[in-house]
Amino acid sequence: MHRRIEDYALIGDEQTAALVGRDGSVDWLCLPRFDSAACFAALLGDEDNGHWRIAPEGAELCTRRAYRPDTLVLDTEWDTAEGSVRVTDLMPQREHAPDVVRIVEGLGGRVRMRGLLRLRFDYGSVVPWMRRSDGHRVAVAGPDSVWLRSEPPVRTWGEDFRTHSEFTVEAGEKVAFVLTWHPSHRPRPPLSDPFEALETSVQDWRAWAARCRYDGPHRDAVVRSLITLKALTYAPTGGIVAAPTTSLPEELGGVRNWDYRYCWLRDSTLTLGALLSAGYHEEAEAWRDWLLRAVAGDPAALQIMYGLSGERRLSEYEIPWLSGYAGSAPVRVGNSAVEQLQLDVYGEVIDSLSLARRSGLPSRPHMWRVECAMMEFLRVAWRQPDEGIWEVRGPRRHFVYSKVMAWVAADRAVRTLEDDPTLDGDIEGWRAMRDEVHREVCERGFDPVRNTFTQSYGSTELDASLLLIPRVGFLPPDDPRVVGTVDAVRAELAPDGFLVRRYNTTTTTDVDGLPGDEGVFVVCSFWLADALHLTGRTQEARTLFERLVGLTNDLGLLSEEYDPVAGRQLGNFPQAFSHIGLVVSALSLFGVDEAEEADGAVPPG
């Protein structure tokens, strides 16, 4: 039986992350990076594909669990007939190598504990050779080596390619386990002190969380979302992964299972705005700089996503030995959507760089040249059909949102030149392009009978991305066409007025080219709240936001999608885009968003 997605917690060290279940089992961990092969892959298969459980003997789900306030340090507690015990899980900021620290502490009585470690490298397919060295357990297979130690030492033995441990704790007693990875051809890294690592981690996370400038309603949810975004940041480069997982399904038993352990350009403007508005300028600058490095080169070769360091080859393949979460196969590594043409990313990149400039982030010498090169490519390319924001695997179309973002690119380029006439650029040519795109979208992408913009030219279908039209400044929020679009999307894609689908998968299989269905897309519901607020319905928006915050799990985490029928989370977890949506909506509804990218936009027509 697979645990529900919301039964998992996240721990991480800003270079990789692990998922810990309510039963005390670490079921997912990729080492040494987010995009490395997993050594614990039970999440996508079964226990023999790798996991590490520490729990009271005979116990199942914990009694309670929580993050220590304003940290990514997890406390999981069990009350048993013999007593109570706590397991504290964390991944300290690494100095030499990645560590997973698990500290067992007796709270009352005398509790017998059991540990079971199954290390399985390469996504659960490789059983390592285990040996003892200096009182530690050492696992080696090919390029990977993992050391396991406990302080103080406890009884540990190997059996059936598993490592068992058994010990008891009384009130006040502590036993720490440390699992450390390093390349097998190199010496073991210096040992870290697990108890000192716990104290330092708590202090560091709380100092970071204290920088948050937001002080409105649901501050805890906002801070938790920001901590999650920080945890999904690859610290060496500043890139932010969409999620730490691959192939958690958008439909249980379905095939809509994708690898999200990469950095998407479509998240860039909202991420940058959220970080800047919340007071995290260093992180915003690091993300902006990652963006500039990733997109450098031929504008025609711009990708929708890149690796943690800006890698471009993200070839997709399937892993046949993993059965998939709840039987949802195939399990995929890599993402072939990297090869798609999505014209909206040009608008998102230029919008992000414009936002960074207006927000006072230090400029980079080549930044404007990059924008100009993109504009010269987009001047012609915007007329093409593309795969759209949702990476559909059907035929290319003239998606309205893609055209709107081409307008955004031209608009932000023009405004940059208006603000700084010393810069070189074809301001008149870009103004003409902006006007032409705007005119065409209003003529070909709008249904006057239903008073709504549509998913693509000539289509009758709707798309949740249309909710962003007022945010980006394409039309004023009080324009009747905007109000009509918001109402139409809410009526057709959110019949309960609450949870919004990206588009209608039951009637548009020719668009996405995939069988089956999917859940509602969490960030789209936040977009609806934002659109309601912009169109003057702030109380409705706040009510919707309150309900959306209620979708988080007990730890404040959100996945990509939600199944309203089964009442459970779906898709990769936790999802950066969902948490970005929460932060942006909170800032919009209850705070002052100084990084509002649509400020001052004067759309033509």
Side-chain angles (χ1 to χ4, degrees):
M1 288 287 294
H2 280 86
R3 300 292 177 201
R4 287 187 170 221
I5 291 171
E6 55 265 40
D7 286 338
Y8 285 98
L10 176 79
I11 59 173
D13 65 357
E14 294 182 59
Q15 296 192 45
T16 191
L19 295 187
V20 187
R22 289 179 181 269
D23 59 349
S25 180
V26 181
D27 287 349
W28 182 255
L29 175 62
C30 300
L31 291 172
R33 306 189 344 162
F34 289 108
D35 57 353
S36 299
C39 63
F40 299 142
L43 179 72
L44 300 179
D46 57 34
E47 290 184 343
D48 199 47
N49 296 125
H51 75 118
W52 182 19
R53 184 169 190 242
I54 299 177
E57 184 178 47
E60 291 298 329
L61 300 184
C62 65
T63 306
R64 58 193 162 269
R65 64 176 183 171
Y67 286 117
R68 297 198 181 182
D70 291 350
T71 78
L72 201 66
V73 175
L74 177 70
D75 287 327
T76 305
E77 297 179 0
W78 287 263
D79 295 333
T80 73
E82 290 72 34
S84 300
V85 66
R86 173 190 300 137
V87 176
T88 299
D89 291 317
L90 66 144
M91 292 188 70
Q93 289 287 321
R94 69 178 76 171
E95 294 184 12
H96 306 286
D99 291 326
V100 179
V101 175
R102 314 195 73 186
I103 299 175
V104 182
E105 179 181 2
L107 302 177
R110 189 170 188 270
V111 182
R112 181 178 295 275
M113 301 293 295
R114 293 275 189 176
L116 177 58
L117 172 68
R118 285 185 174 97
L119 274 167
R120 301 292 187 266
F121 297 124
D122 194 24
Y123 298 103
S125 67
V126 175
V127 180
W129 181 265
M130 298 288 293
R131 61 182 173 85
R132 287 187 181 271
S133 177
D134 298 331
H136 303 170
R137 287 273 170 177
V138 186
V140 177
D144 299 296
S145 180
V146 166
W147 292 66
L148 174 68
R149 75 182 198 273
S150 66
E151 295 184 14
V154 300
R155 179 174 176 251
T156 304
W157 71 98
E159 181 182 339
D160 296 331
F161 304 106
R162 299 174 292 182
T163 299
H164 300 259
S165 57
E166 181 180 87
F167 58 100
T168 59
V169 288
E170 298 182 3
E173 291 184 338
K174 296 181 181 180
V175 176
F177 293 85
V178 182
L179 185 147
T180 304
W181 178 95
H182 69 95
S184 61
H185 65 279
R186 304 192 65 180
R188 183 195 69 190
L191 300 181
S192 60
D193 182 327
F195 301 104
E196 181 180 314
L198 171 59
E199 183 177 344
T200 300
S201 291
V202 169
Q203 292 174 351
D204 288 350
W205 276 112
R206 286 180 176 164
W208 188 86
R211 291 166 50 196
C212 178
R213 290 168 40 193
Y214 177 74
D215 195 28
H218 299 287
R219 187 178 190 278
D220 288 347
V222 171
V223 170
R224 177 54 51 197
S225 291
L226 289 166
I227 288 174
T228 302
L229 291 176
K230 180 70 168 173
L232 298 181
T233 301
Y234 184 63
T237 67
I240 302 175
V241 297
T245 56
T246 179
S247 301
L248 289 179
E250 297 172 7
E251 178 186 32
L252 294 180
V255 301
R256 297 169 184 255
N257 319 316
W258 316 110
D259 193 347
Y260 275 18
R261 298 171 298 158
Y262 308 112
C263 308
W264 263 256
L265 299 190
R266 74 179 182 209
D267 304 358
S268 58
T269 303
L270 293 178
T271 302
L272 197 64
L275 291 172
L276 288 168
S277 298
Y280 293 99
H281 284 241
E282 292 178 12
E283 289 76 10
E285 185 175 351
W287 170 246
R288 190 277 313 272
D289 289 347
W290 174 90
L291 184 66
L292 276 173
R293 293 191 302 270
V295 304
D298 182 2
L302 185 69
Q303 298 181 180
I304 66 169
M305 73 184 86
Y306 294 86
L308 307 178
S309 301
E311 298 90 345
R312 303 189 177 203
R313 294 182 183 269
L314 309 177
S315 302
E316 182 179 307
Y317 61 93
E318 298 178 2
I319 300 181
W321 60 84
L322 289 177
S323 59
Y325 176 86
S328 306
V331 171
R332 296 181 173 93
V333 171
N335 200 313
S336 64
V338 72
E339 302 168 2
Q340 291 187 350
L341 174 65
Q342 294 184 24
L343 293 171
D344 65 285
V345 298
Y346 291 88
E348 282 140 5
V349 169
I350 292 175
D351 195 18
S352 294
L353 298 180
S354 173
L355 173 60
R357 185 180 291 107
R358 289 185 287 112
S359 299
L361 291 184
S363 186
R364 296 291 181 260
H366 60 291
M367 191 164 77
W368 178 241
R369 293 198 299 273
V370 169
E371 293 175 74
C372 289
M374 288 186 179
M375 281 305 306
E376 288 311 299
F377 170 78
L378 196 59
R379 190 199 296 264
V380 175
W382 76 267
R383 303 177 188 280
Q384 301 178 43
D386 71 343
E387 275 91 0
I389 183 178
W390 304 126
E391 297 153 25
V392 297
R393 303 205 173 190
R396 290 182 177 179
R397 293 173 180 254
H398 290 282
F399 286 101
V400 168
Y401 180 73
S402 297
K403 309 299 186 186
V404 167
M405 292 308 294
W407 176 91
V408 168
D411 177 71
R412 303 311 188 254
V414 167
R415 291 168 60 194
T416 297
L417 287 175
E418 290 173 341
D419 291 341
D420 187 356
T422 65
L423 295 173
D424 292 328
D426 183 9
I427 189 168
E428 293 306 324
W430 296 342
R431 278 184 180 139
M433 171 189 161
R434 180 178 67 176
D435 293 347
E436 184 179 1
V437 175
H438 196 277
R439 184 166 51 251
E440 181 177 291
V441 169
C442 291
E443 290 175 356
R444 301 183 60 190
F446 183 75
D447 182 345
V449 176
R450 295 157 65 211
N451 191 34
T452 181
F453 286 94
T454 58
Q455 184 180 52
S456 61
Y457 291 174
S459 171
T460 60
E461 298 294 339
L462 300 182
D463 193 298
S465 62
L466 302 171
L467 294 169
L468 297 175
I469 286 176
R471 175 196 289 280
V472 301
F474 183 82
L475 284 172
D478 59 356
D479 189 293
R481 292 167 292 183
V482 169
V483 177
T485 299
V486 174
D487 290 343
V489 168
R490 180 159 60 163
E492 295 189 24
L493 298 183
D496 61 357
F498 170 38
L499 297 169
V500 183
R501 292 181 173 272
R502 294 189 290 183
Y503 49 86
N504 193 334
T505 56
T506 61
T507 61
T508 58
T509 54
D510 60 325
V511 172
D512 67 25
L514 295 166
D517 202 357
E518 64 178 21
V520 295
F521 210 69
V522 174
V523 75
C524 295
S525 297
F526 284 113
W527 291 351
L528 175 59
D530 297 340
L532 288 172
H533 171 56
L534 287 171
T535 54
R537 291 169 279 185
T538 298
Q539 189 52 54
E540 288 182 63
R542 289 178 173 174
T543 300
L544 173 56
F545 180 84
E546 299 271 351
R547 296 182 66 185
L548 291 172
V549 171
L551 296 182
T552 64
N553 73 354
D554 58 310
L555 299 172
L557 301 179
L558 286 166
S559 65
E560 177 187 26
E561 299 189 3
Y562 189 81
D563 182 343
V565 177
R568 60 183 296 177
Q569 297 194 21
L570 292 172
N572 285 301
F573 172 89
Q575 175 81 354
F577 218 13
S578 298
H579 285 283
I580 292 166
L582 188 154
V583 174
V584 170
S585 290
L587 290 167
S588 175
L589 291 171
F590 306 107
V592 177
D593 186 357
E594 296 180 357
E596 175 58 60
E597 65 271 18
D599 265 1
V602 183

